[in-house]
Amino acid sequence: MSQRPEPPPPYLTVVVPSRNDDHGGGMTERMVACVHGLLDQARRHRLRGELVLVEWNPPEGRPPLASVFDWSRAEGFEARVVTVPPELHRRFPHSDKVNVHVLAAWNVGIRRARGEFVLCTSADVLLSDELARFLASEKLEPDAMYHIDRTNVAPEVARAAATEDRLRACADNVLGVDEPVRNEFPPGLGIPDLHLSAPGDFALLSRTRWHALGGYPEFDTLGIGVDILFCYLAHHEGAREVVLRPPMRLYHIDHSRNWGSSRHAVERVFYEGLRLKERVPRSVRRAFAPLLLRLFPRRKSRWEALGIPGLRFSDVEDYIVDLYRGRNRIPPNGPDWGFAADTLPEAWVSASGRSSSGS
């Protein structure tokens, strides 16, 4: 009796980190819309791929993450859940205050991805049909780093009954499109103005390039801005930026959030909203930043209130400038990044709803 041939490896791996605790308020609803939408579109557009859900630090007393979704939609698109148990979560600083280390969770998925290309994204996004169709066309280039603008849509989009209804609702409930982050770097260093509108919601590179870069840098501080830093690191190492334009869209289902601090707010409102970056030299802006912070009431983010350190956007700019000057200060990950040396519980989920466990 001949053995059953192994199926071909997937073309695209989509990595989504999350946990079943409804974090952020309404997260379960947004997460279901995201995963069901991806599975529906993969089936409709014949996207040859796999979904890797990274369940980070599962909360006690809650059902497993896999139980949230209708896996009958997964026909032709493989899905598995990789679990990072609490004992591994506790290896990270501030593990008692931060439930999910998102960058490290993406790294877990990247290390275990089987696709030729790997898309790291969030659990509260929807792909336009044009974007899903492009991914299914298998025209991605191995030397490219793909970026796309983020279109924010109202929370009620997630409440529509079907994926088609949600996508139609997106067009009618647009809250705005995030403009790319504008940076100003010293001339002569070859630092490009990368098109960074949603690097934390859409990072698409070949698996080979992800591994060559060692995944996302895993800072001991809160990783705000590390997604931007990673994009410049990838460019510095030879990745060519490709921007995906409309009608391809990445829809982000909006939710209340307070990730940044007053430092971030000052930099964004004064330097970006008033276009001061285009008019005032970087050195002058740095000199006046403390004054701006004194003039406006300081409202701590919830991370600052918990005593968790974080990067400022100006810190990220300094790392990037040093990188292109030949002094790379970005902390490298070790060879076992993504818990490569650890055996993690892994469940493969079939369209019948049954799952098989492995490691």
Side-chain angles (χ1 to χ4, degrees):
M1 182 177 178
S2 62
Q3 290 185 338
R4 180 182 176 184
E6 288 290 327
Y11 177 71
L12 176 70
T13 297
V14 181
V15 179
V16 177
S18 196
R19 69 200 300 256
N20 187 20
D21 64 349
D22 209 32
H23 55 278
M27 187 62 197
T28 300
E29 184 177 62
R30 298 193 302 276
M31 189 166 54
V32 167
C34 170
V35 171
H36 287 181
L38 175 63
L39 298 179
D40 290 343
Q41 289 176 309
R43 183 178 65 252
R44 185 164 63 250
H45 300 295
R46 299 183 180 180
L47 173 57
R48 184 167 59 88
E50 66 170 351
L51 168 65
V52 177
L53 278 173
V54 180
E55 184 174 14
W56 188 280
N57 185 30
E60 293 184 8
R62 299 282 295 184
L65 186 61
S67 66
V68 172
F69 307 104
D70 174 12
W71 296 110
S72 66
R73 304 166 181 261
E75 295 179 10
F77 197 80
E78 297 177 334
R80 51 194 167 116
V81 181
V82 179
T83 302
V84 177
E87 56 268 24
L88 294 186
H89 166 73
R90 287 192 288 270
R91 293 182 186 178
F92 287 82
H94 316 292
S95 61
D96 58 329
K97 301 173 184 176
V98 180
N99 291 326
V100 180
H101 291 278
V102 177
L103 298 170
W106 274 323
N107 283 347
V108 166
I110 294 166
R111 283 306 292 251
R112 289 156 182 80
R114 299 183 304 120
E116 183 179 349
F117 292 87
V118 180
L119 168 60
C120 290
T121 187
S122 303
D124 53 4
V125 301
L126 298 170
L127 313 182
S128 70
D129 273 329
E130 292 83 2
L131 177 56
R133 193 177 300 118
F134 169 73
L135 297 175
S137 70
E138 302 194 7
K139 295 180 180 179
L140 299 174
E141 302 173 32
D143 67 334
M145 168 177 58
Y146 291 89
H147 289 151
I148 192 169
D149 288 339
R150 186 173 81 172
T151 301
N152 296 302
V153 296
E156 52 264 30
V157 163
R159 299 172 196 141
T163 296
E164 293 82 357
D165 297 330
R166 294 186 192 110
L167 291 177
R168 281 192 292 268
C170 285
D172 298 329
N173 291 275
V174 172
L175 301 177
V177 179
D178 285 358
E179 292 188 3
V181 175
R182 288 180 294 275
N183 296 290
E184 179 190 322
F185 298 109
L189 295 178
I191 307 178
D193 190 14
L194 295 179
H195 191 98
L196 302 178
S197 167
D201 286 319
F202 191 93
L204 174 57
L205 299 93
S206 71
R207 179 162 54 94
T208 299
R209 193 166 288 277
W210 276 112
H211 279 254
L213 291 165
Y216 284 103
E218 296 178 6
F219 281 73
D220 289 341
T221 59
L222 183 66
I224 290 178
V226 177
D227 48 0
I228 295 173
L229 185 59
F230 171 80
C231 293
Y232 277 95
L233 181 62
H235 173 269
H236 185 263
E237 296 301 318
R240 177 175 55 87
E241 183 183 51
V242 175
V243 180
L244 303 178
R245 305 286 185 179
M248 289 185 280
R249 299 184 187 278
L250 179 76
Y251 296 113
H252 171 254
I253 305 172
D254 195 61
H255 54 96
S256 60
R257 55 194 182 276
N258 181 26
W259 290 86
S261 66
S262 58
R263 294 192 187 101
H264 295 89
V266 166
E267 291 184 18
R268 283 195 175 278
V269 171
F270 283 89
Y271 297 160
E272 296 183 15
L274 299 181
R275 302 295 193 265
L276 293 188
K277 279 198 171 186
E278 302 168 6
R279 305 169 185 169
V280 181
R282 186 168 180 256
S283 59
V284 176
R285 297 199 315 266
R286 292 291 184 86
F288 278 91
L291 175 61
L292 291 175
L293 288 172
R294 285 197 297 270
L295 290 174
F296 293 89
R298 179 175 177 82
R299 182 173 62 87
K300 289 185 177 181
S301 72
R302 62 190 181 99
W303 302 112
E304 288 178 310
L306 291 171
I308 302 172
L311 294 176
R312 297 178 298 174
F313 286 105
S314 55
D315 297 327
V316 172
E317 287 184 343
D318 288 342
Y319 274 111
I320 294 169
V321 169
D322 283 351
L323 174 66
Y324 282 82
R325 281 178 170 159
R327 180 172 174 255
N328 186 357
R329 296 188 298 113
I330 303 171
N333 294 328
D336 294 329
W337 61 273
F339 291 131
D342 293 275
T343 300
L344 303 182
E346 190 169 312
W348 293 71
V349 189
S350 69
S352 65
R354 296 189 298 273
S355 64
S356 58
S357 298
S359 60

